[in-house]
PDB file of all heavy atoms in Angstrom:
ATOM      1  N   ARG B 925      52.961-119.908 -18.658  1.00 74.00           N
ATOM      2  CA  ARG B 925      54.303-119.443 -18.940  1.00 74.00           C
ATOM      3  C   ARG B 925      54.892-120.176 -20.136  1.00 74.00           C
ATOM      4  O   ARG B 925      55.461-119.562 -21.039  1.00 74.00           O
ATOM      5  CB  ARG B 925      55.223-119.652 -17.722  1.00 74.00           C
ATOM      6  CG  ARG B 925      54.989-118.607 -16.651  1.00 74.00           C
ATOM      7  CD  ARG B 925      55.811-118.910 -15.439  1.00 74.00           C
ATOM      8  NE  ARG B 925      55.509-117.956 -14.373  1.00 74.00           N
ATOM      9  CZ  ARG B 925      56.194-116.836 -14.154  1.00 74.00           C
ATOM     10  NH1 ARG B 925      57.229-116.563 -14.906  1.00 74.00           N
ATOM     11  NH2 ARG B 925      55.845-116.018 -13.190  1.00 74.00           N
ATOM     12  N   LEU B 926      54.720-121.485 -20.084  1.00 74.00           N
ATOM     13  CA  LEU B 926      55.329-122.280 -21.157  1.00 74.00           C
ATOM     14  C   LEU B 926      54.702-121.968 -22.502  1.00 74.00           C
ATOM     15  O   LEU B 926      55.379-121.940 -23.520  1.00 74.00           O
ATOM     16  CB  LEU B 926      55.192-123.762 -20.833  1.00 74.00           C
ATOM     17  CG  LEU B 926      56.193-124.282 -19.801  1.00 74.00           C
ATOM     18  CD1 LEU B 926      55.880-125.716 -19.459  1.00 74.00           C
ATOM     19  CD2 LEU B 926      57.615-124.139 -20.320  1.00 74.00           C
ATOM     20  N   LEU B 927      53.442-121.717 -22.472  1.00 72.00           N
ATOM     21  CA  LEU B 927      52.759-121.517 -23.736  1.00 72.00           C
ATOM     22  C   LEU B 927      52.724-120.058 -24.144  1.00 72.00           C
ATOM     23  O   LEU B 927      52.204-119.713 -25.188  1.00 72.00           O
ATOM     24  CB  LEU B 927      51.328-122.038 -23.633  1.00 72.00           C
ATOM     25  CG  LEU B 927      51.249-123.522 -23.322  1.00 72.00           C
ATOM     26  CD1 LEU B 927      49.814-123.942 -23.095  1.00 72.00           C
ATOM     27  CD2 LEU B 927      51.865-124.333 -24.455  1.00 72.00           C
ATOM     28  N   GLY B 928      53.304-119.227 -23.270  1.00 68.00           N
ATOM     29  CA  GLY B 928      53.333-117.803 -23.619  1.00 68.00           C
ATOM     30  C   GLY B 928      51.962-117.185 -23.569  1.00 68.00           C
ATOM     31  O   GLY B 928      51.701-116.195 -24.239  1.00 68.00           O
ATOM     32  N   THR B 929      51.096-117.774 -22.788  1.00 62.00           N
ATOM     33  CA  THR B 929      49.755-117.208 -22.714  1.00 62.00           C
ATOM     34  C   THR B 929      49.576-116.475 -21.395  1.00 62.00           C
ATOM     35  O   THR B 929      48.545-116.549 -20.760  1.00 62.00           O
ATOM     36  CB  THR B 929      48.707-118.318 -22.813  1.00 62.00           C
ATOM     37  OG1 THR B 929      49.061-119.308 -21.849  1.00 62.00           O
ATOM     38  CG2 THR B 929      48.630-118.886 -24.162  1.00 62.00           C
ATOM     39  N   GLN B 930      50.626-115.775 -20.999  1.00 56.00           N
ATOM     40  CA  GLN B 930      50.506-115.036 -19.741  1.00 56.00           C
ATOM     41  C   GLN B 930      49.650-113.809 -19.946  1.00 56.00           C
ATOM     42  O   GLN B 930      49.324-113.430 -21.050  1.00 56.00           O
ATOM     43  CB  GLN B 930      51.887-114.622 -19.259  1.00 56.00           C
ATOM     44  CG  GLN B 930      52.667-115.821 -18.781  1.00 56.00           C
ATOM     45  CD  GLN B 930      53.982-115.427 -18.175  1.00 56.00           C
ATOM     46  OE1 GLN B 930      54.077-114.357 -17.626  1.00 56.00           O
ATOM     47  NE2 GLN B 930      54.957-116.277 -18.281  1.00 56.00           N
ATOM     48  N   HIS B 931      49.425-113.192 -18.823  1.00 49.00           N
ATOM     49  CA  HIS B 931      48.583-111.986 -18.860  1.00 49.00           C
ATOM     50  C   HIS B 931      49.328-110.866 -19.556  1.00 49.00           C
ATOM     51  O   HIS B 931      48.750-109.991 -20.119  1.00 49.00           O
ATOM     52  CB  HIS B 931      48.243-111.536 -17.445  1.00 49.00           C
ATOM     53  CG  HIS B 931      48.460-112.612 -16.442  1.00 49.00           C
ATOM     54  ND1 HIS B 931      47.486-113.534 -16.178  1.00 49.00           N
ATOM     55  CD2 HIS B 931      49.543-112.940 -15.693  1.00 49.00           C
ATOM     56  CE1 HIS B 931      47.966-114.385 -15.263  1.00 49.00           C
ATOM     57  NE2 HIS B 931      49.196-114.039 -14.973  1.00 49.00           N
ATOM     58  N   SER B 932      50.630-110.940 -19.467  1.00 48.00           N
ATOM     59  CA  SER B 932      51.378-109.866 -20.099  1.00 48.00           C
ATOM     60  C   SER B 932      51.210-109.967 -21.594  1.00 48.00           C
ATOM     61  O   SER B 932      51.204-111.053 -22.161  1.00 48.00           O
ATOM     62  CB  SER B 932      52.860-110.003 -19.753  1.00 48.00           C
ATOM     63  OG  SER B 932      53.329-111.225 -20.254  1.00 48.00           O
ATOM     64  N   GLU B 933      51.098-108.827 -22.169  1.00 47.00           N
ATOM     65  CA  GLU B 933      50.965-108.851 -23.608  1.00 47.00           C
ATOM     66  C   GLU B 933      52.247-108.290 -24.204  1.00 47.00           C
ATOM     67  O   GLU B 933      52.904-107.437 -23.617  1.00 47.00           O
ATOM     68  CB  GLU B 933      49.748-108.039 -24.068  1.00 47.00           C
ATOM     69  CG  GLU B 933      49.688-106.601 -23.593  1.00 47.00           C
ATOM     70  CD  GLU B 933      49.359-106.530 -22.107  1.00 47.00           C
ATOM     71  OE1 GLU B 933      48.578-107.390 -21.621  1.00 47.00           O
ATOM     72  OE2 GLU B 933      49.920-105.677 -21.447  1.00 47.00           O
ATOM     73  N   GLY B 934      52.565-108.783 -25.337  1.00 45.00           N
ATOM     74  CA  GLY B 934      53.705-108.207 -26.057  1.00 45.00           C
ATOM     75  C   GLY B 934      55.033-108.829 -25.703  1.00 45.00           C
ATOM     76  O   GLY B 934      55.966-108.726 -26.468  1.00 45.00           O
ATOM     77  N   SER B 935      55.160-109.456 -24.535  1.00 48.00           N
ATOM     78  CA  SER B 935      56.473-110.023 -24.240  1.00 48.00           C
ATOM     79  C   SER B 935      56.646-111.287 -25.081  1.00 48.00           C
ATOM     80  O   SER B 935      55.793-112.155 -25.087  1.00 48.00           O
ATOM     81  CB  SER B 935      56.580-110.372 -22.763  1.00 48.00           C
ATOM     82  OG  SER B 935      55.771-111.483 -22.490  1.00 48.00           O
ATOM     83  N   PRO B 936      57.701-111.340 -25.787  1.00 50.00           N
ATOM     84  CA  PRO B 936      57.878-112.483 -26.700  1.00 50.00           C
ATOM     85  C   PRO B 936      58.024-113.761 -25.899  1.00 50.00           C
ATOM     86  O   PRO B 936      58.760-113.818 -24.924  1.00 50.00           O
ATOM     87  CB  PRO B 936      59.171-112.138 -27.443  1.00 50.00           C
ATOM     88  CG  PRO B 936      59.903-111.196 -26.534  1.00 50.00           C
ATOM     89  CD  PRO B 936      58.872-110.472 -25.749  1.00 50.00           C
ATOM     90  N   SER B 937      57.324-114.723 -26.297  1.00 52.00           N
ATOM     91  CA  SER B 937      57.416-115.994 -25.593  1.00 52.00           C
ATOM     92  C   SER B 937      58.728-116.665 -25.944  1.00 52.00           C
ATOM     93  O   SER B 937      59.030-116.894 -27.107  1.00 52.00           O
ATOM     94  CB  SER B 937      56.253-116.895 -25.986  1.00 52.00           C
ATOM     95  OG  SER B 937      56.454-118.157 -25.420  1.00 52.00           O
ATOM     96  N   MET B 938      59.468-116.919 -24.930  1.00 63.00           N
ATOM     97  CA  MET B 938      60.777-117.522 -25.158  1.00 63.00           C
ATOM     98  C   MET B 938      60.773-118.964 -24.693  1.00 63.00           C
ATOM     99  O   MET B 938      61.803-119.499 -24.323  1.00 63.00           O
ATOM    100  CB  MET B 938      61.836-116.755 -24.355  1.00 63.00           C
ATOM    101  CG  MET B 938      61.837-115.270 -24.584  1.00 63.00           C
ATOM    102  SD  MET B 938      62.951-114.839 -25.897  1.00 63.00           S
ATOM    103  CE  MET B 938      64.509-114.996 -25.057  1.00 63.00           C
ATOM    104  N   SER B 939      59.597-119.517 -24.657  1.00 69.00           N
ATOM    105  CA  SER B 939      59.476-120.851 -24.093  1.00 69.00           C
ATOM    106  C   SER B 939      60.444-121.825 -24.754  1.00 69.00           C
ATOM    107  O   SER B 939      60.648-121.794 -25.972  1.00 69.00           O
ATOM    108  CB  SER B 939      58.046-121.347 -24.294  1.00 69.00           C
ATOM    109  OG  SER B 939      57.965-122.675 -23.883  1.00 69.00           O
ATOM    110  N   PRO B 940      61.094-122.624 -23.940  1.00 73.00           N
ATOM    111  CA  PRO B 940      62.011-123.610 -24.514  1.00 73.00           C
ATOM    112  C   PRO B 940      61.246-124.698 -25.279  1.00 73.00           C
ATOM    113  O   PRO B 940      61.840-125.413 -26.087  1.00 73.00           O
ATOM    114  CB  PRO B 940      62.715-124.176 -23.294  1.00 73.00           C
ATOM    115  CG  PRO B 940      61.818-123.888 -22.149  1.00 73.00           C
ATOM    116  CD  PRO B 940      61.041-122.675 -22.484  1.00 73.00           C
ATOM    117  N   LEU B 941      59.989-124.814 -25.038  1.00 73.00           N
ATOM    118  CA  LEU B 941      59.205-125.864 -25.710  1.00 73.00           C
ATOM    119  C   LEU B 941      58.152-125.222 -26.583  1.00 73.00           C
ATOM    120  O   LEU B 941      57.510-124.247 -26.182  1.00 73.00           O
ATOM    121  CB  LEU B 941      58.487-126.728 -24.665  1.00 73.00           C
ATOM    122  CG  LEU B 941      59.342-127.599 -23.756  1.00 73.00           C
ATOM    123  CD1 LEU B 941      58.453-128.300 -22.754  1.00 73.00           C
ATOM    124  CD2 LEU B 941      60.134-128.597 -24.566  1.00 73.00           C
ATOM    125  N   THR B 942      57.970-125.752 -27.756  1.00 78.00           N
ATOM    126  CA  THR B 942      56.828-125.312 -28.548  1.00 78.00           C
ATOM    127  C   THR B 942      55.612-125.994 -27.952  1.00 78.00           C
ATOM    128  O   THR B 942      55.718-126.999 -27.243  1.00 78.00           O
ATOM    129  CB  THR B 942      56.976-125.710 -30.020  1.00 78.00           C
ATOM    130  OG1 THR B 942      57.004-127.143 -30.075  1.00 78.00           O
ATOM    131  CG2 THR B 942      58.253-125.155 -30.603  1.00 78.00           C
ATOM    132  N   PRO B 943      54.447-125.467 -28.225  1.00 77.00           N
ATOM    133  CA  PRO B 943      53.235-126.099 -27.673  1.00 77.00           C
ATOM    134  C   PRO B 943      53.153-127.573 -28.041  1.00 77.00           C
ATOM    135  O   PRO B 943      52.824-128.418 -27.207  1.00 77.00           O
ATOM    136  CB  PRO B 943      52.112-125.296 -28.300  1.00 77.00           C
ATOM    137  CG  PRO B 943      52.718-123.977 -28.619  1.00 77.00           C
ATOM    138  CD  PRO B 943      54.145-124.231 -28.941  1.00 77.00           C
ATOM    139  N   GLY B 944      53.538-127.848 -29.270  1.00 78.00           N
ATOM    140  CA  GLY B 944      53.489-129.236 -29.713  1.00 78.00           C
ATOM    141  C   GLY B 944      54.412-130.100 -28.893  1.00 78.00           C
ATOM    142  O   GLY B 944      54.041-131.164 -28.386  1.00 78.00           O
ATOM    143  N   GLU B 945      55.600-129.607 -28.736  1.00 79.00           N
ATOM    144  CA  GLU B 945      56.576-130.371 -27.964  1.00 79.00           C
ATOM    145  C   GLU B 945      56.082-130.615 -26.547  1.00 79.00           C
ATOM    146  O   GLU B 945      56.291-131.676 -25.976  1.00 79.00           O
ATOM    147  CB  GLU B 945      57.900-129.621 -27.935  1.00 79.00           C
ATOM    148  CG  GLU B 945      58.656-129.695 -29.233  1.00 79.00           C
ATOM    149  CD  GLU B 945      59.839-128.737 -29.283  1.00 79.00           C
ATOM    150  OE1 GLU B 945      59.797-127.703 -28.555  1.00 79.00           O
ATOM    151  OE2 GLU B 945      60.780-128.991 -30.018  1.00 79.00           O
ATOM    152  N   LEU B 946      55.435-129.586 -26.008  1.00 78.00           N
ATOM    153  CA  LEU B 946      54.932-129.725 -24.648  1.00 78.00           C
ATOM    154  C   LEU B 946      53.932-130.851 -24.555  1.00 78.00           C
ATOM    155  O   LEU B 946      54.008-131.731 -23.689  1.00 78.00           O
ATOM    156  CB  LEU B 946      54.271-128.411 -24.221  1.00 78.00           C
ATOM    157  CG  LEU B 946      53.588-128.450 -22.874  1.00 78.00           C
ATOM    158  CD1 LEU B 946      54.577-128.713 -21.747  1.00 78.00           C
ATOM    159  CD2 LEU B 946      52.825-127.161 -22.595  1.00 78.00           C
ATOM    160  N   LEU B 947      53.034-130.851 -25.484  1.00 78.00           N
ATOM    161  CA  LEU B 947      52.001-131.875 -25.444  1.00 78.00           C
ATOM    162  C   LEU B 947      52.617-133.255 -25.621  1.00 78.00           C
ATOM    163  O   LEU B 947      52.283-134.206 -24.915  1.00 78.00           O
ATOM    164  CB  LEU B 947      50.970-131.581 -26.555  1.00 78.00           C
ATOM    165  CG  LEU B 947      49.637-132.266 -26.418  1.00 78.00           C
ATOM    166  CD1 LEU B 947      49.067-132.061 -25.016  1.00 78.00           C
ATOM    167  CD2 LEU B 947      48.663-131.750 -27.453  1.00 78.00           C
ATOM    168  N   ILE B 948      53.555-133.329 -26.504  1.00 80.00           N
ATOM    169  CA  ILE B 948      54.223-134.606 -26.719  1.00 80.00           C
ATOM    170  C   ILE B 948      54.932-135.050 -25.461  1.00 80.00           C
ATOM    171  O   ILE B 948      54.860-136.185 -25.022  1.00 80.00           O
ATOM    172  CB  ILE B 948      55.222-134.496 -27.891  1.00 80.00           C
ATOM    173  CG1 ILE B 948      54.429-134.283 -29.173  1.00 80.00           C
ATOM    174  CG2 ILE B 948      56.082-135.736 -27.998  1.00 80.00           C
ATOM    175  CD1 ILE B 948      55.262-133.841 -30.355  1.00 80.00           C
ATOM    176  N   ALA B 949      55.613-134.032 -24.853  1.00 79.00           N
ATOM    177  CA  ALA B 949      56.336-134.351 -23.615  1.00 79.00           C
ATOM    178  C   ALA B 949      55.390-134.883 -22.568  1.00 79.00           C
ATOM    179  O   ALA B 949      55.717-135.809 -21.828  1.00 79.00           O
ATOM    180  CB  ALA B 949      57.050-133.114 -23.107  1.00 79.00           C
ATOM    181  N   LEU B 950      54.253-134.291 -22.518  1.00 78.00           N
ATOM    182  CA  LEU B 950      53.272-134.760 -21.530  1.00 78.00           C
ATOM    183  C   LEU B 950      52.911-136.222 -21.788  1.00 78.00           C
ATOM    184  O   LEU B 950      52.807-137.036 -20.882  1.00 78.00           O
ATOM    185  CB  LEU B 950      52.011-133.904 -21.600  1.00 78.00           C
ATOM    186  CG  LEU B 950      52.117-132.509 -20.952  1.00 78.00           C
ATOM    187  CD1 LEU B 950      50.851-131.710 -21.226  1.00 78.00           C
ATOM    188  CD2 LEU B 950      52.358-132.637 -19.468  1.00 78.00           C
TER     189      LEU B 950
END
Side-chain angles (χ1 to χ4, degrees):
Chain B
R925 283 175 184 266
L926 282 174
L927 299 174
T929 51
Q930 289 186 30
H931 342 274
S932 62
E933 55 288 325
S935 71
S937 173
M938 307 269 284
S939 174
L941 293 177
T942 63
E945 285 169 335
L946 175 63
L947 198 50
I948 293 167
L950 284 174

